[in-house]
């Protein structure tokens, strides 16, 4: 949340407008709601799958498009390339929370994003012994603006947590392969279970963003 808050407060100010995906991690949603209530930042929520919604939401004061590759907890998949193309046309930077996908399944910078944030607490560190976050920038100017806010907020990873994260990342590819396989197996079995009402996994035929996931998250469906 330190990385996310630094990005949001670094790039948004009073009177600015941000376009964000409706399905977002609750903590991020809370920061946006707080910025709206206390700083007068205006937020327009979009589905994350329709570029025309983003085009219609754009304003002269729009400063950021904020998405999650795989939204927590709904697993909706943002169509990053399609939405980023619209934002780029208007000169609006795109930030993507790639926590759930990890760089193994998706590299948002390759799909038009300008900033990628991760909760390293999850797949990157991988051992449930670290709290941390990372923000990655394509552009040095955006990095400079956000870094200043991260420093002001004290959102700095302590050295031991950074070391643990680097240690964890050495096994990221092995863990992600296994986790994807386990998730696919569980999703298929649970969907067939009579006591289960709904299963949300982007590789299932019942998932609304299956086609986007196949394009954007190759390998994630592996069983
Ligand atoms: C998608 C996503 N982003 C960010 C966060 C925040 O992570 P942290 O708890 O490491 O601050 C979470 C936590 O669940 C998350 O699921």
């Amino acid at each position: 949340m330190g990385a996310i808050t630094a990005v949001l407060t670094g790039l948004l100010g009073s009177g600015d407008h941000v376009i964000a995906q409706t399905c977002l991690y609750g903590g991020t949603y809370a920061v946006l709601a707080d910025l709206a209530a206390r700083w007068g930042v205006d937020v327009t929520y979009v589905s994350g799958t329709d570029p025309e919604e983003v085009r219609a939401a754009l304003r002269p004061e729009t400063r950021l498009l904020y998405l999650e590759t795989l939204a927590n907890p709904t697993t909706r998949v943002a169509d990053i390339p399609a939405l980023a193309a619209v934002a780029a046309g208007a000169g609006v930077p795109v930030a993507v929370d790639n926590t759930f996908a990890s760089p193994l399944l998706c590299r948002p910078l390759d799909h038009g994003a300008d900033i990628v944030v991760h909760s390293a607490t999850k797949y990157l560190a991988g051992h449930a012994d670290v709290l941390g976050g990372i923000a990655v920038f394509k552009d040095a100017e955006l990095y400079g603006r956000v870094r200043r806010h991260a420093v002001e907020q004290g959102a700095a990873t302590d050295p031991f947590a950074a070391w643990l994260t680097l240690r964890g990342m050495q096994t990221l590819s092995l863990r992600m392969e296994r986790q994807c396989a386990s998730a696919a197996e569980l999703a298929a079995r649970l969907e067939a279970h009579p006591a289960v009402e709904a299963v949300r996994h982007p590789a299932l035929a019942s998932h609304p963003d299956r086609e986007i996931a196949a394009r954007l998250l190759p390998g994630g469906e592996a069983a």
Side-chain angles (χ1 to χ4, degrees):
M1 284 312 302
I4 292 169
T5 306
V7 167
L8 293 176
T9 57
L11 300 183
L12 298 171
S14 175
D16 285 344
H17 174 239
V18 55
I19 304 173
Q21 206 176 326
T22 314
C23 302
L24 284 180
Y25 168 59
T28 306
Y29 188 83
V31 174
L32 286 171
D34 220 25
L35 291 181
R38 295 167 59 200
W39 286 18
V41 170
D42 212 5
V43 191
T44 302
Y45 288 99
V46 295
S47 66
T49 54
D50 180 1
E52 292 315 312
E53 257 182 300
V54 173
R55 200 184 307 281
L58 283 168
R59 300 181 199 164
E61 62 274 19
T62 306
R63 298 285 172 267
L64 187 68
L65 171 64
Y66 189 95
L67 308 169
E68 280 178 17
T69 314
L70 271 166
N72 176 8
T74 59
T75 74
R76 292 302 303 256
V77 187
D79 195 343
I80 300 168
L83 272 56
V86 174
V92 171
V94 181
V96 178
D97 183 332
N98 197 42
T99 299
F100 270 27
S102 91
L104 261 293
L105 296 187
C106 184
R107 292 169 175 263
L109 294 186
D110 294 344
H111 296 288
D114 301 280
I115 303 167
V116 180
V117 291
H118 291 273
S119 164
T121 310
K122 310 201 169 57
Y123 298 127
L124 292 186
H127 294 70
D129 51 11
V130 174
L131 273 177
I134 295 173
V136 184
F137 296 81
K138 194 184 247 177
D139 178 277
E141 194 267 330
L142 286 179
Y143 167 68
R145 278 162 63 193
V146 171
R147 185 178 186 281
R148 196 162 60 80
H149 283 264
V151 170
E152 283 169 6
Q153 291 162 11
T157 309
D158 84 85
F160 186 53
W163 181 84
L164 287 172
T165 303
L166 290 171
R167 172 218 55 185
M169 283 170 62
Q170 293 178 33
T171 54
L172 177 65
S173 63
L174 292 171
R175 288 185 285 101
M176 284 307 289
E177 274 170 32
R178 184 60 171 266
Q179 279 162 339
C180 287
S182 301
E185 173 87 25
L186 274 172
R189 287 194 193 198
L190 287 170
E191 200 174 45
H193 196 288
V196 175
E197 260 179 47
V199 180
R200 296 173 182 193
H201 186 294
L204 291 176
S206 56
H207 196 283
D209 307 325
R210 187 167 195 257
E211 178 274 326
I212 305 172
R215 239 189 311 124
L216 214 59
L217 306 159
E221 73 283 24

